[in-house]
Structure formats: C-alpha cells, structure tokens
Amino acid sequence: RLFHQYHKTFAPLNFSDYEAVSCCEQDVPEYFNFASDVLDKWSQIENERKGLSNPALWWINGKGDEMKWSFEELAFLSQKVANMLSGPSSLQRRDRVLVILPQIPEWWLLSVACMRTGVIIIPGTTQLTAQDICYRLLASKAKCLTTTDVLAPAVDSVASKCQFLKTKLIVSESSRAKWLNCSDLL
C-alpha cells in the first residue's frame, strides 16, 4: 500500500531490503508521526472516497455492545483528546502520562493523542496496586495519570507522595473531586 505522496512503500518488497533493515540502512523520514502521517492520511482518503469504508476501530465489549469508528472519526476524536492533553492537562511534548485503563475505546484515543502531541505514554495494567502506581509515578516522573473509577481511590491514596503528578484524568460517567473528567472535557 502507498502511504504518502512519494508513492514509496513502507514494507520491504524483496529479500535484499530485509538486509538493509537489519543493517539500519533503511530510508526513514526525519520526522514521523503516526497520527498525522498515517491516520490523518487514511482519514483524508476515506473522506475523498465518500463511500462506505472499513472501520479504523471496531470495539466490542463482553456484553456484545460495539463501537465502530471510521478513520475520519478516529482522527477527529484523537485531535480532541490531544487538545485536552495540551489544554486543561497542560502537557507538552516529552511530558509523561501514565495510562491505567482497560481495553476500552478511550485507551486507543489516548494512545493516538499522545502520539499526535509527542507526549510519552506509559501504559499500565488495571491490576496495579497503589504501591505499584506510586512506584511507576515516581520512577517515570509522570505529570498526568488517566484511569477509571476502579483505580481512582488507589491513586488518591498515593498522589501526595508523587510530587511530579499534576493532573489526574478519570474516564467515567461520574465526576470525582480533584480529577478532570475526560467525558466532560471532550
């Protein structure tokens, strides 16, 4: 598949290209951003086609509820989340955000938004304890943490020990004191 205006493929075409990759002699763009260089390009292609397309994200939970986002919708929503990260969350390029979310659509939006803004994402499993969260916050010097209602009490119990943590984002239908609600910000 062709991904940009120079019609150069990103996947090696023959065996000799694999050797170039292993010797680190591959042509790599000076600046590459997955969100803008790939996702936005597919969004533009999808928009120009003006027809039905394959979903960019198709999420189904354990209850059978599903959510389908086109490339255009995923690009638009990730831009909104990127604005949320750089606006109310005051994150800048190379700042770190600890994301402790189950595999829900918001996890993907945050991942793409972090790529878009240059914020470093530190993914964490939802099985982390308060002590685990504290260790990760201190070791990474993360300025922001994003989680759900389930782990918010654990974060609150250790937040005072983590001097770098400035912003706490919650993915929830309800609000919580001293937390910014992602749904409300969007």
Side-chain angles (χ1 to χ4, degrees):
R1 294 187 177 169
L2 303 175
F3 287 102
H4 60 75
Q5 63 190 6
Y6 301 111
H7 304 293
K8 190 175 186 180
T9 57
F10 284 110
L13 299 176
N14 58 44
F15 187 73
S16 64
D17 290 337
Y18 287 104
E19 191 169 327
V21 169
S22 67
C23 296
C24 298
E25 297 170 358
Q26 187 180 17
D27 290 335
V28 178
E30 185 176 356
Y31 300 102
F32 176 78
N33 185 307
F34 175 81
S36 57
D37 294 336
V38 177
L39 184 61
D40 291 350
K41 182 66 175 176
W42 278 101
S43 173
Q44 179 185 358
I45 291 168
E46 184 180 75
N47 197 16
E48 290 170 359
R49 252 191 264 154
K50 295 189 185 343
L52 294 175
S53 65
N54 292 326
L57 179 72
W58 189 351
W59 176 82
I60 303 173
N61 69 6
K63 298 174 187 173
D65 301 327
E66 66 180 49
M67 183 180 295
K68 288 184 187 180
W69 286 335
S70 66
F71 285 95
E72 186 176 10
E73 291 168 323
L74 184 58
F76 175 74
L77 290 170
S78 69
Q79 288 170 356
K80 287 179 76 170
V81 174
N83 289 337
M84 179 184 71
L85 292 176
S86 59
S89 299
S90 303
L91 295 175
Q92 298 176 354
R93 184 174 171 77
R94 295 193 178 115
D95 284 343
R96 295 167 187 94
V97 59
L98 179 58
V99 178
I100 309 171
L101 291 174
Q103 290 193 4
I104 56 176
E106 290 82 356
W107 190 94
W108 298 102
L109 288 178
L110 275 161
S111 297
V112 175
C114 286
M115 291 177 211
R116 190 175 293 282
T117 58
V119 171
I120 299 167
I121 185 171
I122 303 167
T125 177
T126 55
Q127 296 174 334
L128 294 175
T129 65
Q131 184 179 357
D132 296 331
I133 293 168
C134 183
Y135 173 78
R136 282 163 175 77
L137 286 170
L138 291 172
S140 67
K141 299 178 183 172
K143 290 186 178 180
C144 179
L145 181 136
T146 305
T147 193
T148 60
D149 287 329
V150 177
L151 284 175
V155 173
D156 284 337
S157 71
V158 298
S160 62
K161 300 175 191 172
C162 305
Q163 68 272 17
F164 296 102
L165 183 62
K166 304 294 180 212
T167 307
K168 298 182 288 186
L169 295 170
I170 191 162
V171 177
S172 173
E173 295 299 319
S174 59
S175 60
R176 187 173 180 89
K178 298 182 182 179
W179 287 74
L180 296 175
N181 188 300
C182 290
S183 300
D184 293 344
L185 294 174
L186 290 178

